Amino acid sequence: MTAPTLAPALEAVAVAPAARDCFHCGLPLPRGADFEVLVDDTPRPMCCAGCAAVAEAIVAAGHAHYYRARTELPPSPRDAVPELLRSADVFAAEPVARQFVRSVDAHRREASLILDGVTCAACIWLIERQLARLPGVSDARVNYATERAWIQWDERHLCLADILRAVERIGYRAQPCDAREQEAARARERRRQQRRLAVAGLFGMQVMMLSISLYAGAGSGIEREFEQLFRWLCLLLTLPVVGYSALPFFRAAARDLVRRQVSMDLPVALAILAAFGASVVNTVAGHGEIYFDSVVMFVFLLGASRYFERVARARCAAAVEKLAQSLPLVATRIEADGSHASVAASALAVGDRVLVRNGESVPADGELVAGETACDESLLTGESDAVAKRAGDRLFGGSINARQPVEMRVTAIGADTVLAEIRRLVERAQADKPPRARLADRIAARFIVAVLLLVAVVAAGWYLADSARAFEIALAVLIVSCPCALSLATPTALAAALGRLQADGLLVRNGDTLERLEQVTHVVFDKTGTLTHGKPCVDEILLRPGISRADALSLAAALERHSEHPLARALVARAAEARLPDVTDLVATPGGGIAGRIDGEDYCLGSVEFVAAQTGLELPAEWRAQLADFGGSAVVLARRDAVLAMFGFSDSLREDAAALIGRLRADGKKIVLLTGDRPAAAARVAAALGIDAVRAGLAPADKITAVAELQARGARVLMVGDGVNDAPVLARADVSIAMGGAAALAQRSADIVLLGDRLALVGDALARAARAGRVIRQNLAWALGYNLGAIPLAAAGLVAPWLAALGMSSSSLVVVMNALRLAR
């Protein structure tokens, strides 16, 4: 949008949209759009809630003259947000802030921010430190790979605009997270880096050719006029490299000096300035060594290293970006009169009816109300097969309708959707720093100070021993010792591994989970819903003479109709066609059963022990004999005076359970089965899977005790269980994986959520954690080994500055490329 200034003088050439177009962006108003904003005391129509929010923010910030001053309408939706709106002050306006801030509780708020100006891992430390100092901030994490910050604060102490201003005060730029805007910003920065790299490469090649002539002439003889000409040509050709290609290093170093901090850009900037400055002085003087070739090579190689590092970070962030961009921009809302209106997806509200055509993305979470289809949920769960959907089934925003048009009712929008929750958890996990990463950061920060002191000592020592070589050797030490590889070793590997796991359907909540997963010695499984499908069905019914199968099912289903227990759901499903009687005085006993009054008679339904305690009745002898054949999964229905029926259930094993147990055993893991089911059912599953350690009939507290006993013996326990029912024991284990897909996202006790149904991913998680640990150790060993080996050689005068530049840049590239193996 071409409005370089917003002066009222431009009002004479200002443009306005047509009467039936959005006053802000100029697009046609959708049918049924009812958004207006008061601009200059005149109601102006808006096409969607997004444009309305931006317009309100512009007016609230006192910039209504923007609309009078603009000379043309925005050419694209992204340009519909003017530059003035990107300042921190605008986000103090509630209409804008609420678009990006999520409420955690009554006063706590959280948001994701896009950062601009991050050049190295030390920037992350500086930003985190600045955010943590703000009053009211309870947690702040910055992810180097994705260039995003996640922050949580108390709104009674500060607002989003205060946070953005705090980041700007230390020389960086932050804005609320918008995936499409971040992608555009990354593209712009990528083009800038490419231009800087091209300049460094183009002029650097000329300098290198001239330097070769100077080196050759020094050995075979060169006329002084030509030598001086080549020196001045090298100086002129190096100027664009230092003044343009190396500019980001100087800016970052200056910013750190202003903040009295040190980062990896400081020794880089000092090395470039020292080498270039000495070369200029010697060129003007007409004698002495020049290092223009080392300067251009250093800038080019380091620029190339930073460029490939940025590409690697973009690849690591791809999983989050795909999630962020999976929601459509436009949805088809069904109006009260049955007509269809195209509206912005952000304008949908809970309760709206939406038409989702085949091939379209679902715009929000909702319930299917008309039609049948199948949805591709691979982006959320990692499952490649489309999932069949019928009326009443849940639809997830971001999934793709793969078959035919359906109607849905919106149940959750924006930050309350499953997709948004997955994004938040992935970003939080990537921003979280495990102990290894924190240790590497601390070492790198101290290492830079040590390097600067070492350079001073080396320069002083060589000045006393051989003053002619002192500068060159000190310069080589300064260049070769930059700890870029050390700071990249852990965060790049973690980002790649976490992104790969998320793409597979494993959602990791915490950054240190992989480190704990690598140390696991025992894998503990729950049975129902974990090793089995968790969907039992009634497969046998024993009846007392005088009661029919239909009556028995009707009574049992009436008692259990409001229960969420898997066996209860199986009974209700089996009696789906029956008319269920009314139940009064309903009393449920957790772990036992349920009792209630039907038509004036007292009934109870539950385990054999529960029924015996309620009625004092025992099972008939022939039923007790068959109890073992039911696998222990039996429910008894009784009246006060008689046992009426016994229902047997079966629950099939997951298809990949046996293969997983075999794989874990081959990897040296100990397998334990803990279940609340009866011993006979547990023994049957254990025998089928080859599990020797089994404990059955456990209450939730008993499972916690069992895990604690294993830990007391030195075991590192991974607990795999249902995301809802096993929350206490999941929290007690060293690391935990919750089954249950999207429903388990709300459970904060699990470290990892298995979004799909593939149990084999548990083995993949362990394997990837082990591989990530190996790669991190390799990276750290390489980074430390390189510095410990190269610095003494440079200090001894055995490494030329150009060779130091080559070695330092190569070490960073080795670390990045090695980490990217985890993303495959």
Side-chain angles (χ1 to χ4, degrees), residues 256-342:
D256 294 334
L257 287 175
V258 169
R259 299 294 304 172
R260 297 182 180 179
Q261 308 289 345
V262 292
S263 72
M264 284 171 287
D265 288 307
L266 183 58
V268 169
L270 287 175
I272 294 172
L273 288 175
F276 181 71
S279 300
V280 170
V281 170
N282 292 340
T283 298
V284 173
H287 59 82
E289 291 291 332
I290 59 173
Y291 307 98
F292 294 122
D293 55 341
S294 297
V295 170
V296 295
M297 179 182 289
F298 186 39
V299 173
F300 175 76
L301 291 176
L302 190 57
S305 176
R306 293 279 175 94
Y307 175 75
F308 287 119
E309 176 198 330
R310 178 174 289 274
V311 171
R313 282 191 273 158
R315 287 183 58 184
C316 295
V320 179
E321 302 307 325
K322 284 182 180 179
L323 289 174
Q325 297 176 17
S326 62
L327 287 175
L329 294 175
V330 178
T332 304
R333 186 170 61 197
I334 303 174
E335 305 295 352
D337 59 0
S339 62
H340 295 170
S342 294

Side-chain angles (χ1 to χ4, degrees), residues 363-452:
D365 285 3
E367 179 185 351
L368 186 61
V369 295
E372 293 185 2
T373 189
C375 288
D376 179 359
E377 299 176 351
S378 58
L379 195 62
L380 283 76
T381 67
E383 301 283 354
S384 58
D385 295 334
V387 181
K389 300 289 183 178
R390 298 178 179 82
D393 286 347
R394 190 176 181 187
L395 299 180
F396 299 110
S399 61
I400 299 173
N401 182 10
R403 292 188 184 167
Q404 58 189 9
V406 294
E407 293 181 16
M408 62 173 281
R409 182 175 64 254
V410 176
T411 58
I413 58 174
D416 297 325
T417 62
V418 168
L419 182 68
E421 178 69 8
I422 292 175
R423 278 188 61 199
R424 280 193 296 272
L425 293 177
V426 171
E427 290 174 356
R428 191 178 306 175
Q430 290 186 338
D432 200 16
K433 287 188 177 181
R436 284 174 183 162
R438 291 193 292 269
L439 177 61
D441 286 349
R442 287 196 298 270
I443 292 175
R446 290 170 172 79
F447 191 83
I448 294 170
V449 177
V451 162
L452 296 176

Side-chain angles (χ1 to χ4, degrees), residues 34 41 48 71 180 224 310 354 369 482 573 679 743 771 783 791:
D34 187 23
D41 298 324
C48 65
T71 58
R180 293 176 176 85
R224 178 158 180 81
R310 178 174 289 274
V354 177
V369 295
C482 182
R771 191 177 176 208
I791 290 175

